[in-house]
Amino acid sequence: MAERGSVRAQSGLNRSVVWSLGGSHLLNDLVTTGVVPALSPLYMSTYHLNYTQTSLVVLCSYLTSSISQPLFGALTDKYPRAWLLPLGLFLSTLCLTLTGVAPNFAWLLLLISISGLGSGAFHPEAARGTQLASGDARGRAQAIFQVGGNSGQALGQLMMPLFLLSLGVHGLLWFAIAVGLGLILTGRLYPWYRNSLREHGRRMREAKGDNQVGAVVLLVVVVIVRSWCQIGISVFLPFYYRHQFGMSYELADSFTFIFLAAGAIGTFIGGTLADKMPKQRILLYSMLCSIPFALFLPFLHGATALFVLIPFGFFILSSFAVTVVYCQYLLPRNISLASGLTIGFGVGAGGIGATFFGALSDAVGLKVVFYVLMVLPILGSLLSFFLPNDARDVAAP
């Protein structure tokens, strides 16, 4: 059980805890960054929304999460609160479930926003718990944790073609199952996490090393660029394939799932490599390798598009776990804040990108969105080149 492994040698990876946190992360991201973008066509038809209003739903989810995560992270670096782990996941899953009975668009935005706040409370604590359970395998532990989140995002794309299109918005009430599973997982973890915070809190607050604020700002910008790539495809690829090539939403959502599933595989491999090679180099290479596939993205559809979507998803998201560990390296005195900035603010800023892309689609058409996506990996590569190389510290615990 998780509590039995509360005192674990520094060199040992507490697999039970890390995998449980990964499962919790899957549930949280399934009901936030996973299913909310996928629900865009359903919300649009139910509440008679335009593209801008539809993207506002995504913005509320991402923005409340992105703003709150660094705040929760900074606060809990000073005053750790173990109960935020179960409470955050409970709110994120419950409020998404309740959107199935939202009476109007205003209530929908409110519930989506509270769900985002729950996600904001969950992520910094869960990421810190992952580090406490990682021993000297921080990259692998974060890879498992982030693959859970990426898998949740990918599975969210399957919710529409599997059952929501037939059941309608009321089918979201079935996500009550996720609420129950979340309570079981976090309830099991809570005693271990509370005890671990007591044992390790002082050591983490007194960590050695200086915070590299300038590098962190640049890293967050790179994470935002990556997030815009991800959200651009998650939200707008179904619309683009539908209106440009006549593809059904069900098939287009399946393509988006494949893109995110490839990203989950890339996340695991990239995170594992972070224990063996410089994290800055992994980030740079992931951006560089994404460029050719981004350039072909707007022009392919059908089965041939998979030859672009699979490697694009793999490479662009292969740095997901890496950036968390890298930011913790750059902010050794603020571990939860580092997680909040990379998992929260950086990724959550994708909601701003969704609103921008939505307004751009209403103004000049969907194709322009994908022309913008062609440029983003190039920008990410240029910015990544100027981040400090951590080669000397790869072997450090």
Side-chain angles (χ1 to χ4, degrees), residues 112-277:
I112 287 290
S113 298
I114 298 174
S115 177
L117 286 173
S119 179
F122 166 82
H123 274 104
E125 295 300 326
R128 176 163 50 190
T130 300
Q131 193 206 40
L132 288 173
S134 66
D136 58 3
R138 294 182 181 179
R140 186 188 309 168
Q142 283 295 335
I144 294 170
F145 177 66
Q146 296 301 339
V147 164
N150 286 359
S151 299
Q153 294 176 39
L155 289 172
Q157 303 300 321
L158 292 183
M159 295 298 103
M160 284 288 287
L162 280 179
F163 72 94
L164 287 176
L165 284 177
S166 58
L167 295 179
V169 72
H170 295 300
L172 290 170
L173 295 176
W174 282 99
F175 279 95
I177 297 173
V179 180
L181 288 175
L183 288 173
I184 292 171
L185 280 174
T186 54
R188 174 180 178 271
L189 286 169
Y190 178 75
W192 170 86
Y193 187 47
R194 181 190 57 204
N195 294 337
S196 294
L197 285 179
R198 290 172 181 170
E199 294 169 9
H200 300 283
R202 181 178 178 183
R203 177 177 59 81
M204 294 183 68
R205 287 193 298 270
E206 296 176 355
K208 296 180 180 179
D210 296 324
N211 289 342
Q212 302 181 52
V213 178
V216 170
V217 172
L218 184 58
L219 176 61
V220 170
V221 174
V222 176
V223 174
I224 290 173
V225 169
R226 185 187 64 198
S227 179
W228 280 35
C229 288
Q230 179 180 350
I231 197 66
I233 292 179
S234 297
V235 176
F236 294 96
L237 188 70
F239 293 124
Y240 181 71
Y241 280 166
R242 173 71 173 176
H243 295 288
Q244 194 72 20
F245 304 114
M247 184 182 293
S248 67
Y249 282 132
E250 295 93 327
L251 184 57
D253 277 330
S254 299
F255 275 43
T256 306
F257 165 77
I258 293 172
F259 166 81
L260 293 173
I265 296 172
T267 294
F268 182 78
I269 294 176
T272 302
L273 290 174
D275 291 323
K276 303 176 182 179
M277 62 182 293

Side-chain angles (χ1 to χ4, degrees), residues 18-101:
V18 171
W19 281 102
S20 294
L21 286 167
S24 301
H25 199 192
L26 186 154
L27 292 173
N28 183 86
D29 284 20
L30 170 65
V31 301
T32 51
T33 53
V35 78
V36 172
L39 286 170
S40 296
L42 185 60
Y43 286 146
M44 176 181 275
S45 61
T46 301
Y47 298 100
H48 308 291
L49 311 177
N50 58 29
Y51 285 122
T52 303
Q53 291 172 317
T54 303
S55 60
L56 184 60
V57 177
V58 181
L59 175 66
C60 285
S61 176
Y62 277 58
L63 198 58
T64 51
S65 175
S66 66
I67 290 175
S68 62
Q69 279 192 51
L71 296 177
F72 279 119
L75 179 64
T76 56
D77 274 327
K78 293 184 177 181
Y79 310 103
R81 294 292 182 267
W83 49 265
L84 284 174
L85 180 68
L87 177 63
L89 183 58
F90 175 73
L91 288 177
S92 65
T93 52
L94 176 66
C95 289
L96 185 281
T97 302
L98 292 178
T99 64
V101 291

